[in-house]
Amino acid sequence: MSDSLPPLKRYRREEDEEKSASEDDENYVPYVPLKERRKNAFTKLLRVSKHQVDEEEVEESSEVVGPQAKVSLLDQHNVLKKKAEAHKESEKDKQLEEEKRILQNISETRALMAVGELAKGVIYEHSIKTGWCPPRCVLKQSSAKCDEIRHKWHILTEGEDSPPPIKTFQEMKFPHHLLAALKKKGITHPTPIQIQGIPAVLLGRDIIGIAFTGSGKTLVFVLPLIMFCMEQERKLPFQSNEGPYGLIICPSRELATQTYEVIKFYTNALSSQSYPLVKTVLMIGGLAVRDQAESVRRGVHIVVATPGRLMDMLNKKIMNLEVCRYLCLDEADRMIDMGFEEDIRTIFSYFKQQRQTLLFSATMPKKIQNFARSALVRPITVNVGRAGAASMDVIQEVEYVKQEAKVVYLLECLQKTHPPVLIFSEKKAEVDDIHEYLLLKGVEAVSIHGGKDQEERQWAVREFKDGRKDVLVATDIASKGLDFENIQHVINYDMPGDIENYVHRIGRTGRCGKTGIATTFINKTCDESVLLDLKHLLMEAKQKIPPVLGNLESQNEDYLELGDERGCSYCGGLGHRITDCPKLEAIQNKQTNTIGRKDYLASSAPDW
Ligand code: ADP
Ligand code: MG
């Protein structure tokens, strides 16, 4: 038994083993590692979802590059390029969105309106009515013809019902004695800003006039105002204590004086030909209040003022704006930039009725245009060239000069051209130093800055204007609006902190069709951001780029021309966007630092 049992047992076992092996063969599931299982599940899922997702998504999920793709390298390159571009586009959209948000955050919540109007919620819907209308031949012009004229003169208008452009002073219906006075100044044909701007102002429209330096903006607001005042005087002569009818505000005493002199020239020419006398008063600091008050007491049509003295006269009730119907802010953006915003608000609050409001400048960033619009009724924006562009009649040269070598190099630089030459520096003390140095070297020089008394300032400007002095050294006080005849050369002893100030400084030369040179000293003390703005401004004006600027690259070079806005919408610089604007950052830091302080500590008066 013991012999037979084992084989039987063995047999059975073998049989069992075979059986179980054959059974296992049928249901055999080999072990699959977890990683593999996950991968399989994933491909299964992909296969299912393949029917649901659209074509584009499939393409993205099945992204295969390299030799296995069975697609030519060129096609693969195109696909990748398309993807990169799409990504970039979405980045650009994000940037635009961000910029919009910033611009909204910094835009003024308080409108630029009189308090009475704000309190009562008065909103004007119609422009001021005037007694002027275009001549029939102009009225007959089709809108296509108007567009053709605008196109020819590079005039861009924005706003409802753009008035027609008018190509001659005769067709603007100015009296022939005024035309004769213009001719005496060598003015026979209107400039582009005058072609479009003067008809708009004569029709009573509010305008924002933007045109490069020296393009004749002054006459756009001066000539219609003189006509309006003569019309008023004819209808109902101004009595004592009446007026003004028109108010012109300028950022500096020198510019106010110059504008006053331009007005006086034309009003005197007209009154000498038996036209009604239009009375004008110059209201600036540094002159006796008594004399200005006396002129106002006798009745006045036009006041040309700087904000400080004007506020003073209004606060003391020496003058009021009850019949004032015409307000012009010359170099408007500069004025707001210089910290006169609050003063301008206060001045607006003295108006008692609707007025025609005009703003002019060569630089007008979007932020200020938006802010100014709250003060305007159905405004027309007249643009000749890009706001903030430099005059094409200025040859711009930029030189790297070490700080310690500047003064000596200045003498060499002065020999580049004949006089008159203007030298700018940001600091009052530096202006004094340069002036002293030039006098020591025998150069016929004068200087002006805000630290000097008015008499000295007036004397210096007069000497320079009349050609008795060859060189004027000045702070930025002389950079806005001043119209010295035939300036040959502007030297920027330093690069201004703002590119807009640079545009205004060099705009003292190359005026009204003449050409001029501007030389700017730069070195490593200059802020890189403003140098980038300078580089792009030079590129725009097709000027030579010095290697030191050529090597500078903006971090966001691709974004500089985004949307319909070039460069920064806050400061107008072409070398950066609003998201990297150093000026905005500085202002915001300053605001944060002054939160909670008393007003008198938060003064933002410029150094000059
Ligand atoms: P802006 O204010 O645009 O910088 P201005 O009004 O000071 O320029 O004018 C610059 C110069 O051009 C002035 O001397 C002015 O007499 C002259 N001017 C103005 N209009 C004309 C014109 N239509 N033709 C010739 N010269 C002009
Ligand atoms: Mg001007």
Side-chain angles (χ1 to χ4, degrees):
M1 221 26 220
S2 64
D3 277 339
S4 62
L5 272 174
L8 185 73
K9 261 187 188 172
R10 205 184 308 135
Y11 171 70
R12 272 193 187 161
R13 206 188 296 149
E14 274 167 11
E15 201 184 47
D16 279 357
E17 271 172 8
E18 262 170 32
K19 199 180 161 192
S20 70
S22 66
E23 270 172 11
D24 274 0
D25 246 3
E26 269 169 27
N27 302 324
Y28 176 68
V29 183
Y31 176 75
V32 183
L34 185 65
K35 214 168 149 191
E36 199 80 2
R37 271 179 275 161
R38 280 196 182 138
K39 198 176 157 192
N40 289 343
F42 181 65
T43 27
K44 220 181 199 173
L45 214 88
L46 260 185
R47 238 175 278 138
V48 175
S49 61
K50 213 168 194 171
H51 300 288
Q52 296 159 1
V53 285
D54 62 15
E55 245 181 78
E56 228 177 73
E57 276 172 306
V58 174
E59 199 179 82
E60 207 158 287
S61 58
S62 58
E63 181 184 305
V64 189
V65 286
Q68 312 95 308
K70 291 191 186 131
V71 184
S72 80
L73 277 178
L74 197 68
D75 287 346
Q76 284 186 40
H77 169 78
N78 284 342
V79 169
L80 287 177
K81 206 167 131 194
K82 239 194 236 162
K83 268 183 200 157
E85 266 165 20
H87 181 66
K88 219 179 198 177
E89 276 310 306
S90 68
E91 285 290 308
K92 282 184 178 172
D93 285 345
K94 247 194 244 165
Q95 169 83 10
L96 279 176
E97 206 47 42
E98 171 78 0
E99 290 185 359
K100 218 166 107 192
R101 198 184 53 75
I102 296 177
L103 209 59
Q104 258 167 9
N105 281 351
I106 54 169
S107 64
E108 291 292 329
T109 42
R110 289 180 302 159
L112 196 58
M113 289 162 81
V115 273
E117 293 161 359
L118 276 175
K120 292 182 201 148
V122 179
I123 292 172
Y124 302 111
E125 282 174 359
H126 302 288
S127 304
I128 293 254
K129 282 215 160 46
T130 65
W132 185 88
C133 72
R136 202 167 300 161
C137 60
V138 172
L139 281 175
K140 273 199 296 193
Q141 261 171 22
S142 65
S143 63
K145 176 77 189 160
C146 291
D147 285 344
E148 192 189 312
I149 297 172
R150 290 190 192 110
H151 183 73
K152 183 176 168 200
W153 296 100
H154 307 286
I155 303 166
L156 288 175
T157 56
E158 227 179 273
E160 45 184 301
D161 282 344
S162 292
I166 301 185
K167 285 188 295 180
T168 64
F169 287 121
Q170 286 81 357
E171 285 171 334
M172 292 176 193
K173 298 190 187 166
F174 289 126
H176 69 270
H177 286 108
L178 185 57
L179 298 182
L182 285 168
K183 205 168 174 188
K184 253 192 213 163
K185 288 270 178 195
I187 301 172
T188 48
H189 299 285
T191 59
I193 184 77
Q194 293 165 352
I195 288 177
Q196 181 64 77
I198 295 181
V201 181
L202 283 169
L203 274 172
R205 296 294 295 268
D206 285 2
I207 81 165
I208 300 182
I210 305 162
F212 51 91
T213 50
S215 58
K217 294 185 284 293
T218 316
L219 291 186
V220 180
F221 55 86
V222 161
L223 297 181
L225 177 57
I226 295 176
M227 298 305 296
F228 293 153
C229 291
M230 283 202 306
E231 195 183 319
Q232 285 284 317
E233 187 64 17
R234 244 202 202 126
K235 271 196 223 153
L236 199 66
F238 269 37
Q239 304 285 314
S240 58
N241 272 323
E242 257 184 345
Y245 175 85
L247 177 61
I248 297 169
I249 310 180
C250 307
S252 74
R253 295 174 186 178
E254 281 70 20
L255 180 56
T257 311
Q258 177 183 295
T259 309
Y260 169 77
E261 282 167 2
V262 171
I263 297 174
K264 282 305 271 184
F265 174 80
Y266 294 108
T267 53
N268 285 346
L270 286 168
S271 69
S272 70
Q273 298 296 331
S274 67
Y275 285 90
L277 175 67
V278 173
K279 289 184 259 179
T280 311
V281 171
L282 176 63
M283 203 167 273
I284 57 171
L287 298 183
V289 174
R290 196 164 16 94
D291 297 345
Q292 294 169 9
E294 179 56 26
S295 308
V296 172
R297 206 187 52 73
R298 275 190 255 124
V300 60
H301 296 95
I302 303 173
V303 166
V304 186
T306 46
R309 176 58 62 91
L310 177 62
M311 288 251 294
D312 207 27
M313 302 291 269
L314 292 170
N315 287 341
K316 289 184 180 148
K317 299 201 168 30
I318 297 172
M319 190 180 84
N320 62 59
L321 298 178
E322 264 157 45
V323 295
C324 192
R325 302 272 276 166
Y326 188 100
L327 170 67
C328 171
L329 306 181
D330 196 12
E331 310 291 350
D333 65 313
R334 301 293 79 215
M335 231 162 354
I336 292 169
D337 214 46
M338 284 156 60
F340 286 128
E341 186 181 321
E342 253 339 286
D343 292 2
I344 291 178
R345 266 181 206 292
T346 316
I347 293 162
F348 265 87
S349 73
Y350 281 92
F351 280 89
K352 294 281 181 286
Q353 55 189 334
Q354 188 183 351
R355 69 238 137 232
Q356 185 178 358
T357 313
L358 310 109
L359 309 172
F360 288 92
S361 188
T363 52
M364 191 83 80
K366 266 265 146 39
K367 182 237 162 187
I368 293 191
Q369 287 189 41
N370 291 349
F371 163 63
R373 283 211 174 88
S374 63
L376 306 180
V377 182
R378 295 176 71 230
I380 290 283
T381 309
V382 182
N383 241 304
V384 181
R386 181 185 70 88
S391 162
M392 297 299 263
D393 295 329
V394 183
I395 300 164
Q396 303 176 55
E397 292 178 0
V398 177
E399 299 188 29
Y400 189 94
V401 188
K402 279 188 187 159
Q403 198 67 12
E404 57 277 15
K406 272 184 178 179
V407 136
V408 184
Y409 186 63
L410 182 65
L411 271 190
E412 200 178 305
C413 204
L414 272 177
Q415 332 233 340
K416 256 194 207 176
T417 64
H418 294 292
V421 179
L422 245 171
I423 302 173
F424 283 111
S425 164
E426 249 178 359
K427 302 265 178 318
K428 290 180 214 167
E430 202 163 52
V431 166
D432 285 337
D433 292 346
I434 300 169
H435 185 198
E436 200 181 318
Y437 177 77
L438 293 180
L439 289 179
L440 279 174
K441 295 287 171 191
V443 180
E444 290 284 343
V446 282
S447 68
I448 57 167
H449 59 64
K452 295 189 177 242
D453 65 42
Q454 188 56 22
E455 230 168 85
E456 214 178 334
R457 277 163 69 167
Q458 274 174 339
W459 173 81
V461 170
R462 183 65 29 229
E463 290 290 291
F464 185 64
K465 242 184 181 164
D466 293 347
R468 285 188 289 277
K469 299 287 177 189
D470 293 339
V471 175
L472 174 67
V473 192
T475 51
D476 275 296
I477 205 165
S479 68
K480 293 156 197 90
L482 291 193
D483 181 47
F484 300 111
E485 218 177 316
N486 280 332
I487 296 274
Q488 301 292 315
H489 191 184
V490 170
I491 302 176
N492 286 319
Y493 193 76
D494 55 13
M495 177 67 202
D498 276 350
I499 196 71
E500 294 145 300
N501 278 347
Y502 170 84
V503 170
H504 282 272
R505 278 185 184 185
I506 65 165
R508 297 314 101 210
T509 185
R511 295 175 74 76
C512 227
K514 298 181 188 118
T515 45
I517 300 181
T519 307
T520 305
F521 296 174
I522 58 165
N523 55 35
K524 59 174 184 281
T525 62
C526 300
D527 184 49
E528 189 170 312
S529 169
V530 79
L531 291 183
L532 269 169
D533 291 343
L534 177 61
K535 175 183 159 185
H536 285 89
L537 194 80
L538 293 178
M539 279 158 55
E540 182 189 49
K542 303 197 169 43
Q543 301 289 316
K544 220 168 76 190
I545 316 278
V548 40
L549 285 186
N551 295 337
L552 282 181
E553 280 277 317
S554 166
Q555 285 171 341
N556 292 329
E557 203 80 21
D558 287 347
Y559 291 178
L560 292 179
E561 296 197 14
L562 212 55
D564 51 3
E565 182 82 14
R566 285 177 63 198
C568 174
S569 43
Y570 185 77
C571 77
L574 288 178
H576 65 272
R577 301 292 292 186
I578 191 171
T579 39
D580 316 306
C581 179
K583 189 167 162 187
L584 176 60
E585 199 182 322
I587 286 178
Q588 282 175 340
N589 284 345
K590 196 170 168 187
Q591 277 170 356
T592 325
N593 290 341
T594 51
I595 285 174
R597 285 206 215 165
K598 290 240 167 79
D599 256 5
Y600 56 79
L601 286 176
S603 151
S604 55
D607 178 48
W608 44 269

